[in-house]
Amino acid sequence: MDNLSDTLKKLKITAVDRTDDSLEGCLDCLLQALAQNNMETSEKIQGSGILQLFASLLVPQSSCTAKVANIIAEIAKNEFMRIPCVDAGLISPLVQLLNSKDQEVLLQTGRALGNICYDSHSLQAQLINMGVIPTLVKLLGIHCQNAALTEMCLVAFGNLAELESSKEQFASTNIAEELVKLFKKQIDHDKREMVFEVLAPLAENDAIKLQLVEAGLVECLLEIVQQKVDSDKEEDIAELKTASDLMVLLLLGDESMQKLFEGGKGNVFQRVLSWIPSNNHQLQLAGALAIANFARNDGNCIHMVDNGIVEKLMDLLDRHVEDGNVTVQHAALSALRNLAIPVINKAKMLSAGVTEAVLKFLKSEMPPVQFKLLGTLRMLIDAQAEAAEQLGKNVKLVERLVEWCEAKDHAGVMGESNRLLSALIRHSKSKDVIKTIVQSGGIKHLVTMATSEHVIMQNEALVALALIAALELGTAEKDLESAKLVQILHTLLADERSAPEIKYNSMVLICALMGSESLHKEVQDLAFLDIVSKLRSHENKSVAQQASLTEQRLAVES
């Protein structure tokens, strides 16, 4: 390596004199040494103090510029060299060189910047602030025939797109158009894979989603799906998954989703529909997820239900009841849940037999499936008294709900089970439903739900408990007592942070509990009168009025 020391000394002199021929000779020797032993050569370069000279050598008009950038790219492959490169002030002159017309300079400059900033979010953010994104997008457009430069741009985009701060800059360029153009030209699987790796993080941004849709990406993705659907080659299966996943991601943006829905007449929507009856699990999954995304506004939901989507989803679920694919079950249930949100769809879906289809998954041990199953049933029975009564008298269902109310490891499942228990009572107002829930041990969970940190859940619990107290107090009395309902109501009323509706419904419930001797005695022992009389001057009129009524009731009954 003594030869290298001589080269470095000579380089110091020639870098100052700027005699291009001898400078070029030194740079060639360095590149050769780096090719033989990159790490050792890099250490020598760092020790020689020559890095600081490189900044002055990165000038557009010199014939040596590409070689200097190449050397920087090679040494920056080593992690220990990256900060020294930054400290030597190399980033700024390299960024300037991205405006060069020389393709070799551009390639080596891109490599150098990529290697220096590799794995460093702060350095990548610095590049974004220096405006490299619009410059690189422009380069991709100009030099799309140059495979090496194209690849360099894609690698850079892949790294920069991970940063949230880059999305806005990308959205202000024509990146969508350039990437789709590039994508259409790629025949090679690996090259397409590179474009996919850039598209996925960019497509998380709503503005870029719309640009990609407008640039025709969806048509490309549908074509890939069509080409690969029957292949059993590993790379084709992977590409099918990537294409269909990306398709679903594009539908997550409201504008891009509506554009593709086209009032339910769109080619894309029709093609996605055809995925659901397919025999390919990946396509079934993507199809169901796409429907769940299309079902994000009432108009779309109503159109889809009127046009038979529910039957397609029920058929799909039916195919996955026994040892089915959990992701497909989850996606199909998500779609049904969203479709059940508009009031007009509920009765139609109930008469189509959706509850029966969904109940087949009661035995599922998978929390994501349990969660969606509960949400679907809860949406379906909203204000549907008959359906709520039918489900609420289903002992198997109620027992499973009570079991899931204790799923401490799965807060979502636990919360949804509680909410469905309460909804069965609130929407059915049925004595039989209340008896079924009491017999299955559900009362204690509704009382606990009244202490939830979510006001909406507290409220749902209190309304259900008030109905229990009004309709079946004798049956539920013991359970309400052992769940310490009266003490909980005392706490809710005394707590200044309780929402007005919580205070109101707690007082309604207190009045309803007076019909039970033992609960009445608990109310008297806890001196509710003091708290309630203070609430008479509450700023919320309904709370103040209910406080007056409750105070009268307590005074009469004491």
Side-chain angles (χ1 to χ4, degrees), residues 159-173:
N159 289 327
L160 296 174
E162 297 293 334
L163 270 76
E164 212 32 64
S165 58
S166 73
K167 305 283 202 301
E168 222 165 284
Q169 273 203 32
F170 274 120
S172 65
T173 68

Side-chain angles (χ1 to χ4, degrees), residues 1-9 11-12 29-30 33-34 37-54 71 75 78 80-81 84:
M1 293 297 273
D2 292 339
N3 211 356
L4 178 60
S5 305
D6 294 344
T7 301
L8 290 167
K9 279 180 196 157
L11 185 57
K12 273 187 178 175
C29 289
L30 267 190
L34 283 163
N37 190 333
N38 190 314
M39 191 180 275
E40 202 174 323
T41 307
S42 297
E43 282 170 349
K44 286 260 176 139
I45 289 173
Q46 190 189 0
S48 71
I50 209 159
L51 273 181
Q52 279 67 18
L53 288 176
F54 282 171
I71 289 169
I75 60 178
N78 303 294
F80 68 90
M81 288 301 290

Side-chain angles (χ1 to χ4, degrees), residues 217-230:
L217 177 61
V218 174
E219 287 70 16
C220 301
L221 298 175
L222 289 171
E223 206 171 303
I224 288 177
V225 168
Q226 205 167 348
Q227 287 165 6
K228 312 289 178 185
V229 67
D230 297 320

Side-chain angles (χ1 to χ4, degrees), residues 167-457:
K167 305 283 202 301
E168 222 165 284
Q169 273 203 32
F170 274 120
S172 65
T173 68
N174 63 337
I175 181 82
E177 211 178 306
E178 293 297 352
L179 287 175
V180 172
K181 216 187 303 175
L182 186 65
F183 192 75
K184 282 177 178 168
K185 285 196 317 202
Q186 303 307 331
I187 303 157
D188 180 46
H189 167 78
D190 291 340
K191 293 274 169 28
R192 276 216 290 235
E193 197 57 39
M194 279 192 85
V195 184
F196 268 140
E197 278 170 19
V198 179
L199 287 168
L202 285 180
E204 285 166 13
N205 175 278
D206 281 359
I208 301 174
K209 278 187 183 81
L210 186 59
Q211 290 169 9
L212 288 168
V213 167
E214 286 171 343
L217 177 61
V218 174
E219 287 70 16
C220 301
L221 298 175
L222 289 171
E223 206 171 303
I224 288 177
V225 168
Q226 205 167 348
Q227 287 165 6
K228 312 289 178 185
V229 67
D230 297 320
S231 169
D232 45 16
K233 282 207 295 208
E234 210 169 297
E235 64 177 37
D236 287 347
I237 293 168
E239 205 167 332
L240 174 79
K241 180 178 178 356
T242 310
S244 53
D245 284 349
L246 188 51
M247 178 82 200
V248 171
L249 186 58
L250 291 175
L251 293 173
L252 278 170
D254 287 339
E255 280 188 85
S256 49
M257 179 269 286
Q258 276 310 87
K259 193 171 179 63
L260 293 171
F261 189 65
E262 290 181 68
K265 304 277 186 287
N267 168 44
V268 174
F269 173 66
Q270 296 302 328
R271 292 279 284 278
V272 163
L273 274 188
S274 72
W275 294 356
I276 292 176
S278 139
N279 290 321
N280 182 306
H281 280 187
Q282 174 57 36
L283 278 195
Q284 293 171 359
L285 170 65
L289 286 173
I291 296 301
N293 285 341
F294 280 127
R296 285 205 321 277
N297 75 36
D298 285 7
N300 294 2
C301 287
I302 292 163
H303 176 89
M304 288 193 278
V305 168
D306 286 346
N307 284 276
I309 188 67
V310 170
E311 289 70 16
K312 286 189 171 69
L313 289 167
M314 286 182 356
D315 288 346
L316 178 60
L317 273 176
D318 238 14
R319 294 162 70 181
H320 288 277
V321 174
E322 299 304 325
D323 311 318
N325 181 308
V326 173
T327 51
V328 175
Q329 293 171 358
H330 179 259
L333 288 167
S334 296
L336 286 171
R337 181 200 171 277
N338 289 0
L339 290 166
I341 293 172
V343 178
I344 194 169
N345 281 356
K346 296 180 198 293
K348 292 175 186 171
M349 290 175 71
L350 287 165
S351 62
V354 173
T355 43
E356 293 76 6
V358 169
L359 285 172
K360 289 177 187 170
F361 294 90
L362 257 190
K363 56 182 185 288
S364 171
E365 292 304 328
M366 306 306 289
V369 173
Q370 296 166 353
F371 181 72
K372 287 296 176 188
L373 171 151
L374 292 163
T376 307
L377 291 176
R378 189 164 64 79
M379 285 302 152
L380 281 170
I381 63 164
D382 191 6
Q384 305 295 312
E386 199 180 316
E389 178 160 15
Q390 208 179 341
L391 279 179
K393 291 193 294 194
N394 179 333
V395 178
K396 261 194 183 137
L397 169 66
V398 174
E399 283 176 351
R400 194 71 161 131
L401 291 183
V402 170
E403 187 187 322
W404 286 340
C405 283
E406 287 165 14
K408 300 258 188 303
D409 297 341
H410 302 287
V413 172
M414 197 162 88
E416 276 293 342
S417 306
N418 277 300
R419 292 189 76 182
L420 183 52
L421 262 189
S422 148
L424 291 170
I425 295 169
R426 288 182 296 112
H427 298 304
S428 71
K429 299 182 177 55
S430 151
K431 291 184 170 204
D432 290 339
V433 170
I434 294 169
K435 283 178 188 160
T436 308
I437 289 173
V438 172
Q439 280 154 11
S440 304
I443 297 297
K444 63 180 178 190
H445 297 299
L446 290 171
V447 175
T448 307
M449 184 181 167
T451 64
S452 163
E453 58 198 39
H454 305 290
V455 175
I456 191 163
M457 284 177 68

Side-chain angles (χ1 to χ4, degrees), residues 113-183:
L113 283 170
N115 290 350
I116 293 172
C117 300
Y118 179 75
D119 227 13
S120 163
H121 282 172
S122 60
L123 288 178
Q124 288 168 359
Q126 194 179 322
L127 288 185
I128 293 168
N129 291 336
M130 292 170 87
V132 300
I133 289 175
T135 310
L136 287 170
V137 175
K138 210 182 302 173
L139 288 183
L140 182 66
I142 297 168
H143 301 291
C144 55
Q145 302 307 324
N146 182 326
L149 259 181
T150 298
E151 198 166 310
M152 181 274 286
C153 288
L154 289 174
V155 171
F157 294 149
N159 289 327
L160 296 174
E162 297 293 334
L163 270 76
E164 212 32 64
S165 58
S166 73
K167 305 283 202 301
E168 222 165 284
Q169 273 203 32
F170 274 120
S172 65
T173 68
N174 63 337
I175 181 82
E177 211 178 306
E178 293 297 352
L179 287 175
V180 172
K181 216 187 303 175
L182 186 65
F183 192 75

Side-chain angles (χ1 to χ4, degrees), residues 31 58 62-71 102 104-105 108-109:
L31 281 166
L58 292 167
S62 163
S63 59
C64 299
T65 304
K67 285 181 179 169
V68 177
N70 190 357
I71 289 169
D102 184 317
E104 184 60 20
V105 169
Q108 300 305 342
T109 300

